[in-house]
Amino acid sequence: MPVAGQMVIAGAAVSGEGASFRAHDAASGDQIGPEYRTASPAQIEAAMAAAHSVAQSFADSAPSRRAELLEAISEAILAIGDALIERAISETGLPRPRLEGERMRTVNQLRMFAAHLREGDFAGVRIDRGDPARL
């Protein structure tokens, strides 16, 4: 998956309409592509409106649905593969083992949160049965 310099608003990949910038290679300081553009005020408003339009339905969704989303995100991170690590090495100068560890930490946290949602522990529901002998 190549870096495209785009953002996602309401499910669509779009280029920003604001100021442009480029990442820099941590080792050489050279600019690397692609060019990115910041979001315009109209694009920010569109992103906020899109988020607002689904916020309540997402909040009302079943924990299992939210768990599915977290699992899909973790799979998407892994699917990017080595391209993510290579780009991160270039931009940060961090060593491959550190970045691979960070990627797996992130993936495992997403999976852990998904499992937590599926188990229902987050709701804090406790049923304490009374001891009939204490009446």
Side-chain angles (χ1 to χ4, degrees):
M1 169 183 277
V3 177
Q6 294 183 305
M7 63 186 106
V8 177
I9 299 177
V14 297
S15 295
E17 297 169 350
S20 66
F21 65 96
R22 288 182 179 268
H24 289 83
D25 184 279
S28 68
D30 294 337
Q31 288 187 343
I32 52 178
E35 177 180 86
Y36 294 89
R37 296 187 71 86
T38 60
S40 68
Q43 288 176 309
I44 293 169
E45 288 295 327
M48 290 175 24
H52 185 265
S53 73
V54 298
Q56 192 60 54
S57 63
F58 185 74
D60 294 339
S61 67
S64 61
R65 176 68 182 117
R66 289 183 247 156
E68 289 170 4
L69 175 63
L70 292 172
E71 290 163 345
I73 293 168
S74 70
E75 292 305 315
I77 290 169
L78 291 174
I80 296 170
D82 205 43
L84 175 64
I85 300 301
E86 292 296 327
R87 181 65 182 215
I89 289 169
S90 178
E91 289 188 18
T92 66
L94 292 171
R96 176 178 292 277
R98 164 78 185 275
L99 292 167
E100 289 174 344
E102 290 296 330
R103 176 178 55 189
M104 286 313 301
R105 180 186 60 77
T106 299
V107 166
N108 287 333
Q109 284 182 329
L110 290 168
R111 289 174 175 168
M112 179 188 67
F113 293 143
H116 195 59
L117 281 166
R118 288 186 192 288
E119 292 164 5
D121 293 343
F122 68 94
V125 175
R126 301 288 183 261
I127 299 175
D128 294 326
R129 305 277 183 220
D131 182 354
R134 293 189 68 190
L135 296 175

